[in-house]
Amino acid sequence: MALSGVEIFKHLPKTNCKKCGYPTCLAFAMKLAALQESTDKCPDLSEEAKKFLGAAAEPPIRGITLGGRGVKVGEETVLFRHEKKFVNPCPIALNIKDTEGADAITKHIADVNSSEIDKVGQMLRVDLVCVTDESGDPARFAAVVKQVADGAPNAGLILNSSSPASIEAAIAHCADKRPLVYGANAENLDAMVKIAKEKKVALGIYAKGLDALSDLSEKVKGMGVTDIVLDSGARTAKEMVEEYTMIRRAALKKSFKPLGFPVISFVSRDDSVLEAAVASIGIMKYASIIVVNSIEKWKTLALLTLRQNIYTDPQVPMQVEQKIYKIGDANENSPLLVTTNFSLTYFIVRGEIENSKVPCWLAIMNVEGLSVLTAWAAGKFVAGSIANFIKESEAPKLVAKKELILPGYVSVLSGSLEDKLGDGWKVVVGPREANQLPAFLKGRAA
């Protein structure tokens, strides 16, 4: 059962020493109760208290790491991302059936290996491959698992079979990748648990409905397997929303341990657009792993972008490093532009500069990840601070012509910024919209 801040406070030193970074022990206790801090922050905590509070502070949903790149799932602590944030982005897994031809499997592997997308500075990709035992032939299943393990060494694996014999044959080729063994149910439980314990891998369990799933989960845990992934049998969008929400609520609000595990969602559809839509529901409504039939570029971009938005911290703007960025073959005669370090602003502006084919220097100023107008309104992107940033940076050494291009939305700053810069600097007002930059830069270069 989760402890309240007052209950946690009873186990703290009560010295108000501020070593944890908070003004009082009670304030720290409240943060611990909200699962926003770790007991490690208190250097004076007794070992007994650490043990007690550590157990109480364990995430209500168990964290599990799968092989390949070490994909972590679970460990979520909130129902809604604005309460804190969602922690571990749900990996997308491509489903490969062992009945498919060798060429088709080779293409699937190539698609996984080439799935990486650079989106606002983050590298997003398909992280898992789910190999499904459709043939019922252990040797065939094992051969496909080996082909995938060898062909996509950075991807994690899900071994999807209800046959212990097939799992035994396949895991011999990939035990070191710590695959998820999926397919345990009430009928094959003893054999599947035995494999999971011997190979020290996570076990995916299936039971239709939450009552049956809870009973099965408790039984598996009682048999000594603690890394469990749940499948309630939800396949329609309606079932997914209802059952995944109930699982998350039971784990978080009721501390119901049998459902305190990551959830796997099989959203496979013959219609790729429909599959993308159902997968989107899984991303937004608590699926920990999502298995799809295909990973066309458009679908991957849509799903990974949605996931990126859902799993960023809404209280911390995405931002890039403050510095002068060289774009193209910029030299001392190239234009110098300035903008803020909000990630979206940086990547849009940089993209338009690259589209213009005009080499430039782009000065990115740290305004704590705010956009141009927001930073200006907050007093962070104003003449004095911009002038100090430019003068203290390497910009004066990079350009022969002391000319700074200012975003059009803050043209009101041009006069005062020119005065603050002094030393012969000239401020030029650029376009208001980034998509106007190519024409603007080409016009100045002509």
Side-chain angles (χ1 to χ4, degrees):
M1 181 68 71
L3 298 177
S4 69
V6 173
E7 289 170 323
I8 292 173
F9 174 70
K10 295 175 183 177
H11 298 271
L12 299 183
K14 306 180 187 66
T15 57
N16 296 331
C17 65
K18 302 182 179 62
K19 294 176 185 176
C20 61
Y22 294 93
T24 65
C25 288
L26 182 59
F28 180 57
M30 293 302 178
K31 287 293 181 179
L32 287 173
L35 300 177
Q36 294 176 349
E37 278 295 358
S38 163
T39 53
D40 296 338
K41 285 286 188 73
C42 178
D44 300 326
L45 200 62
S46 69
E47 288 303 317
E48 183 181 350
K50 280 183 182 179
K51 186 175 180 180
F52 175 79
L53 294 177
E58 282 183 0
I61 298 174
R62 184 171 176 82
I64 296 172
T65 301
L66 303 178
R69 295 184 179 92
V71 178
K72 195 161 193 178
V73 296
E75 282 192 349
E76 302 301 336
T77 59
V78 293
L79 275 169
F80 306 106
R81 63 190 290 266
H82 64 264
E83 294 175 309
K84 183 182 175 184
K85 63 168 288 193
F86 292 163
V87 181
N88 291 311
C90 50
I92 305 296
L94 174 62
N95 186 41
I96 298 178
K97 299 173 184 176
D98 69 349
T99 51
E100 297 186 63
D103 290 344
I105 294 172
T106 299
K107 184 181 183 304
H108 287 319
I109 293 171
D111 289 343
V112 170
N113 289 334
S114 62
S115 66
E116 192 166 75
I117 298 169
D118 184 349
K119 188 69 175 175
V120 292
Q122 293 185 358
M123 302 309 295
L124 311 176
R125 63 182 69 85
V126 173
D127 285 306
L128 300 174
V129 176
C130 175
V131 183
T132 297
D133 176 20
E134 194 172 76
S135 68
D137 180 351
R140 185 181 182 90
F141 182 59
V144 175
V145 168
K146 184 178 187 305
Q147 183 181 353
V148 172
D150 293 342
N154 292 323
L157 279 172
I158 301 172
L159 308 185
N160 178 10
S161 175
S162 59
S163 165
S166 291
I167 295 294
E168 282 274 19
I171 203 169
H173 300 293
C174 60
D176 59 321
K177 292 173 71 74
R178 297 194 65 199
L180 167 63
V181 170
Y182 169 85
N185 54 47
E187 285 71 40
N188 65 14
L189 195 59
D190 289 343
M192 296 292 263
V193 166
K194 181 173 181 289
I195 294 170
K197 289 172 69 175
E198 287 179 353
K199 301 298 182 181
K200 296 182 173 60
V201 296
L203 185 63
I205 64 174
Y206 168 84
K208 186 62 178 173
L210 300 189
D211 289 338
L213 187 63
S214 301
D215 292 342
L216 189 62
S217 167
E218 221 164 7
K219 188 171 182 181
V220 171
K221 193 172 180 181
M223 295 169 73
V225 174
T226 55
D227 284 347
I228 301 169
V229 175
L230 307 175
D231 178 9
S232 66
R235 295 295 182 266
T236 68
K238 179 176 181 292
E239 289 173 339
M240 288 166 59
V241 172
E242 289 178 349
E243 294 184 16
Y244 298 170
T245 300
M246 286 191 281
I247 289 172
R248 179 71 71 96
R249 283 186 176 277
L252 268 56
K253 300 300 183 182
K254 302 296 183 182
S255 298
F256 187 62
K257 296 297 185 183
L259 294 181
F261 298 98
V263 171
I264 188 168
S265 180
F266 291 87
V267 301
S268 300
R269 301 290 192 280
D270 292 332
D271 183 330
S272 193
V273 174
L274 178 59
E275 181 175 86
V278 178
S280 298
I281 292 170
I283 291 171
M284 293 184 286
K285 281 298 177 184
Y286 312 135
S288 306
I289 302 169
I290 296 175
V291 182
V292 297
N293 269 346
S294 62
I295 51 169
E296 300 96 320
K297 286 292 183 183
W298 66 265
K299 183 194 290 183
T300 305
L301 177 61
L303 294 180
L304 294 180
T305 300
L306 172 64
R307 186 188 71 179
Q308 183 184 43
N309 287 327
I310 295 294
Y311 281 84
T312 52
D313 189 341
Q315 301 176 42
V316 180
M318 294 178 66
Q319 49 193 295
V320 295
E321 180 186 358
Q322 172 176 290
K323 69 176 187 179
I324 311 295
Y325 291 82
K326 182 179 181 179
I327 303 177
D329 296 323
N331 56 41
E332 61 180 8
N333 298 312
S334 300
L336 171 66
L337 299 87
V338 65
T339 191
T340 69
N341 73 327
F342 176 42
S343 287
L344 191 57
T345 297
Y346 165 74
F347 284 102
I348 289 175
V349 170
R350 179 172 187 133
E352 295 297 345
I353 293 174
E354 289 172 344
N355 289 340
S356 76
K357 308 299 183 185
V358 177
C360 293
W361 299 101
L362 180 58
I364 296 296
M365 179 177 161
N366 182 12
V367 293
E368 299 175 13
L370 301 178
S371 64
V372 170
L373 279 178
T374 306
W376 171 67
K380 297 179 184 296
F381 195 64
V382 293
S385 56
I386 297 172
N388 289 337
F389 163 56
I390 293 297
K391 287 191 287 187
E392 292 171 5
S393 72
E394 57 181 342
K397 299 177 183 177
L398 295 175
V399 293
K401 188 178 182 181
K402 294 183 177 180
E403 190 173 87
L404 180 65
I405 300 174
L406 187 69
Y409 274 114
V410 288
S411 58
V412 66
L413 299 176
S414 58
S416 56
L417 176 56
E418 202 165 269
D419 291 340
K420 297 285 186 184
L421 283 169
D423 195 26
W425 277 90
K426 179 184 177 183
V427 174
V428 176
V429 176
R432 292 168 68 90
E433 302 293 343
N435 61 10
Q436 298 168 349
L437 274 172
F440 174 82
L441 293 170
K442 289 176 183 176
R444 290 180 59 79

